[in-house]
Amino acid sequence: MKLLILTNNPQRGSFKDRIGRYLDIFRAAGIEPTVAVLSSNPLKRWGQYRQADTYDVVLLHKKCLNFLDARFFRPRKAKVIFNYDDAVMFNDKGCPTPAHQKRFRRSLQKADAVLVGSSYLADQARPYHSNIIILPLGLKTDDYHPAAQKSDDGNIRLVWIGSRATLGYIAELKPVLQKLAARYPGLVLRLIGDDFIDMEGVTIEKMKWTPHARGYCLGQCDIGLAPLPDNPFTRGKCSFKVLEYSASGLPVVASPIGTNPDHVIDGQTGYLVRTEQEWLEKLSLLIENPALRCQMGQNGIQQARNYDISAVGRKLCELIVKTAT
């Protein structure tokens, strides 16, 4: 079976997490994937669309079609799966602009199946499509090292992993982190990403994201942070970092937004918190109780195994084959 994957940017985390990590699993299942980066030149892009019918299935990854794209993307034989794991129907402020809505609906209209990462994202498509499949993000749990050697400096390390685009989320915790730093002198905030911020009064370790940093440097920490504001865009967030924290043996303190409530078992693998006072209370509880951190971390490891790519990848392959037939 031949699978064409159309994407604007295969280097983005969304593509790597949602599609890229499954390419070898596709091949092992007899599905031969071809990744095509859509050209920014309209004429070349429309030429790429014309190749669709040389494949059995086309996976349209987070591509919302403009009017002309929709005219040229018209597979007659190939089946189409429209995949998204962000609130692509809104702008990044969470506003449902007419342009975003129209492009979103055009992609839905072209699809034989719609693949989403959460029930919230599924709800956005249900008024316009009947064949919607929810498949969570998966991760390769062997890439994480919960037994990583922790520092013997006596510090407690909170950790946040993310990109420049989401730095504002951890910045919103500044008042909480400053209060905790004043209360606990050995507190350190480790940031893993492609850009960083400073917070007066808070000791910050800045670490560039690499596969090594993701695997080992998470496991060296004590508590994972996953704050999110509440708006229509963030409600569509599929929280990969929460799975990473759990796979690394860390208890997680998270906002109950996006898929965070799906991945954090409140009181067992971490805590779901809304207010500044709740952030302070739950983080203080974990900072002061190493045994609790350890137990929640072990529970998290078991929880993360439910989302290993071996299981999620098998379901994704089944979906592709079913769509093709």
Side-chain angles (χ1 to χ4, degrees):
M1 179 183 298
K2 295 173 64 179
L3 171 68
L4 175 62
I5 303 167
L6 296 176
T7 181
N8 284 325
N9 187 352
Q11 300 307 314
R12 283 187 177 177
S14 172
F15 180 87
K16 293 178 179 179
D17 296 338
R18 191 67 170 166
I19 303 297
R21 67 178 72 252
Y22 300 106
L23 297 180
D24 287 340
I25 293 176
F26 291 160
R27 296 184 184 100
I31 300 169
E32 187 55 43
T34 297
V35 178
V37 181
L38 288 166
S39 174
S40 59
N41 181 301
L43 291 176
K44 292 181 179 179
R45 188 167 66 251
W46 299 337
Q48 291 175 299
Y49 292 152
R50 292 193 186 100
Q51 300 299 312
D53 277 329
T54 63
Y55 295 83
D56 299 294
V57 176
V58 179
L59 196 155
L60 196 62
H61 175 66
K62 290 181 69 171
K63 176 61 178 176
C64 291
L65 301 169
N66 64 34
F67 176 75
L68 288 175
D69 279 335
R71 291 288 299 272
F72 286 90
F73 182 67
R74 295 184 297 176
R76 301 182 187 280
K77 298 178 182 178
K79 301 295 185 179
V80 177
I81 300 172
F82 177 40
N83 168 70
Y84 59 97
D85 59 345
D86 269 321
V88 295
M89 67 295 301
F90 303 131
N91 65 17
D92 58 5
K93 303 298 183 183
C95 297
T97 68
H100 281 81
Q101 292 287 308
K102 288 178 181 178
R103 292 185 179 193
F104 175 61
R105 292 174 190 175
R106 289 191 193 105
S107 294
L108 290 172
Q109 290 166 358
K110 296 291 183 178
D112 296 282
V114 179
L115 178 63
V116 300
S118 71
S119 57
Y120 174 82
L121 293 175
D123 289 342
Q124 307 309 308
R126 284 201 174 94
Y128 316 106
H129 209 287
S130 60
N131 186 20
I132 302 168
I133 302 95
I134 301 172
L135 188 68
L137 292 174
L139 77 171
K140 190 176 181 180
T141 54
D142 288 346
D143 285 347
Y144 298 87
H145 303 274
Q149 185 65 44
K150 296 186 186 294
S151 173
D152 59 0
D153 58 10
N155 293 331
I156 298 294
R157 283 175 169 79
L158 312 180
V159 64
W160 179 86
I161 186 169
S163 67
R164 180 181 295 108
T166 57
L167 264 176
Y169 301 157
I170 189 66
E172 290 189 4
L173 276 187
K174 180 178 178 181
V176 170
L177 296 169
Q178 288 177 323
K179 290 177 182 179
L180 289 170
R183 184 183 300 173
Y184 304 103
L187 193 69
V188 174
L189 172 63
R190 175 174 287 187
L191 301 177
I192 302 174
D194 57 358
D195 200 3
F196 307 97
I197 57 173
D198 293 299
M199 295 182 188
E200 184 179 354
V202 180
T203 300
I204 295 181
E205 293 178 341
K206 302 174 181 179
M207 309 189 75
K208 284 288 186 181
W209 185 97
T210 66
H212 172 82
R214 177 194 64 193
Y216 280 95
C217 297
L218 280 175
Q220 293 171 343
C221 297
D222 299 285
I223 303 166
L225 306 177
L228 277 176
D230 186 8
N231 61 55
F233 182 76
T234 56
R235 289 171 204 153
K237 284 284 185 181
C238 296
S239 305
F240 188 64
K241 62 168 56 67
V242 169
L243 291 174
E244 292 189 292
Y245 297 152
S246 291
S248 301
L250 307 183
V252 183
V253 184
S255 306
I257 308 299
T259 58
N260 285 355
D262 298 333
H263 299 323
V264 178
I265 304 176
D266 194 38
Q268 296 184 39
T269 67
Y271 296 108
L272 295 168
V273 296
R274 291 187 178 275
T275 66
E276 180 177 315
Q277 185 59 35
E278 289 176 342
W279 276 99
L280 282 168
E281 288 177 358
K282 299 307 184 185
L283 284 171
S284 295
L285 180 62
L286 288 168
I287 290 167
E288 295 172 7
N289 290 273
L292 179 61
R293 295 198 302 269
C294 182
Q295 182 58 60
M296 285 190 165
Q298 290 301 310
N299 294 342
I301 291 171
Q302 297 301 318
Q303 168 75 347
R305 286 175 181 162
N306 296 325
Y307 297 91
D308 190 84
I309 62 169
S310 60
V312 177
R314 181 177 65 254
K315 294 177 182 178
L316 182 53
C317 290
E318 291 171 354
L319 165 64
I320 293 169
V321 171
K322 182 178 179 180
T323 303
T325 56

